[in-house]
Amino acid sequence: TDFSKTDPADKNTLPSKMLRGGIRNNATVIGKGNKFIGSPTEVAMMKAGLEAWGVHRVKDVMDNATLYEIPFDSANKYMFIAEPYNEGGQLFSLKGAPERVAKFCKYAYVGQGGQAGITLMTPEMQEVITANAKTLMGQAKRVLGIAERRANYPADFNWDSATADFAKENFLCDMVFIGLFGIQDPPKPGVKQAVEDCHAAGVRVVMITGDHPDTGVAIAREISIIP
C-alpha cells in the first residue's frame, strides 16, 4: 500500500484507517523523527507514518488522549486503546496477532472511497484473513491485524474503573476488521554466513523467537538454520 497518498483526516479510506491504527502505539518519536524509543514493531509502524504524513501530523495522532488501554503482552498478543473521537463518542483501536484480533471481529471494513462500508464478517472472510496472514508470514514478515469500532459511552463514564474482564466483554466485542500489516525485519548482514560457518564446524544452531511459528520458520530458512 502506498501510504503517501493517504490523509490522516480521512476517516473512510482503508489505507488511512490502517496507518492511523498502526501508529497509535506506545513508540516515542524524538525531535524531528530521526530517533525513536519503542519496540521494533511499533517503531516500524511509526516510521511508515512519518514517511507518509510527517512528524507533526503523526504527533497529532499520538497525542490524542488515551481513555483506556490494554498494553501488549506475550499472553494476549494484542494492544487495545480507547480514545475520544472528534466527531463524538469514542474510537476503539485493536492491533496484534491476526488470529487474536480476528476473533474479536464481528464485522469487516470492505471497499474503497464511496463504496467503502462495514459488513458482517463471514467464515469465508476469516479464511481469507488467515490465508493472507500465512502468505505474509511465509515471506518472513511479522504480521499484525488491525481493527476498530466506534463507541458512545457517556461523557461521565469512569474509564479507570473498567476491569480487564469488563473491557474484554464490552470494549473488545463487535470489532470491525480493517486489515493486515506485514513488517519486514531483515536479518543483519553476515548472519546467514555465520550460521553456515557454524554448520560447517559441526555446531548446532538454535533460534529462539517470539514471532508466529510460520514467520519463525521462514526466517530460519532465510538464514540457513533449517533447509
Side-chain angles (χ1 to χ4, degrees):
T1 299
D2 184 1
F3 291 117
S4 66
K5 297 179 181 178
T6 63
D7 184 343
D10 183 355
K11 303 294 195 305
N12 298 315
T13 303
L14 195 58
S16 296
K17 286 178 171 287
M18 280 287 297
L19 190 55
R20 192 191 186 287
I23 65 176
R24 192 66 168 92
N25 63 50
N26 288 327
T28 300
V29 180
I30 300 175
K32 296 181 179 180
N34 52 358
K35 292 184 180 180
F36 305 87
I37 298 173
S39 73
T41 299
E42 290 184 323
V43 169
M45 291 187 289
M46 197 66 70
K47 286 181 178 179
L50 289 172
E51 288 178 8
W53 294 346
V55 65
H56 296 297
R57 284 179 154 187
V58 167
K59 284 189 173 182
D60 285 344
V61 174
M62 293 168 59
D63 290 344
N64 198 27
T66 298
L67 300 172
Y68 188 87
E69 178 178 351
I70 301 175
F72 181 91
D73 64 39
S74 58
N76 288 335
K77 295 187 177 179
Y78 61 77
M79 174 186 184
F80 171 86
I81 290 178
E83 59 185 309
Y85 193 67
N86 56 11
E87 295 177 9
Q90 300 85 32
L91 178 67
F92 290 174
S93 302
L94 178 68
K95 56 182 162 288
E99 68 276 11
R100 298 294 179 93
V101 170
K103 77 174 185 177
F104 291 114
C105 294
K106 184 177 179 180
Y107 305 97
Y109 194 85
V110 298
Q112 293 286 352
Q115 304 299 316
I118 296 172
T119 186
L120 278 170
M121 177 77 79
T122 65
E124 291 77 16
M125 289 179 182
Q126 291 277 9
E127 290 175 4
V128 169
I129 292 168
T130 300
N132 281 300
K134 280 186 168 291
T135 296
L136 291 169
M137 291 171 188
Q139 298 168 357
K141 289 183 171 67
R142 185 172 296 128
V143 183
L144 291 180
I146 305 289
E148 68 175 33
R149 80 174 174 92
R150 292 282 304 278
N152 195 27
Y153 283 83
D156 61 352
F157 181 79
N158 186 355
W159 296 93
D160 292 337
S161 70
T163 64
D165 288 340
F166 179 90
K168 288 180 181 179
E169 291 176 9
N170 296 275
F171 299 163
L172 291 172
C173 62
D174 300 341
M175 297 295 291
V176 181
F177 188 84
I178 303 298
L180 297 170
F181 266 113
I183 301 169
Q184 190 79 48
D185 187 11
K188 288 181 172 60
V191 170
K192 185 175 186 291
Q193 185 61 52
V195 170
E196 291 173 350
D197 290 346
C198 287
H199 287 324
V203 177
R204 182 187 178 206
V205 179
V206 176
M207 182 177 75
I208 300 173
T209 177
D211 285 324
H212 189 281
D214 289 348
T215 302
V217 167
I219 293 171
R221 286 201 176 106
E222 189 176 321
I223 58 177
S224 299
I225 290 179
I226 61 177

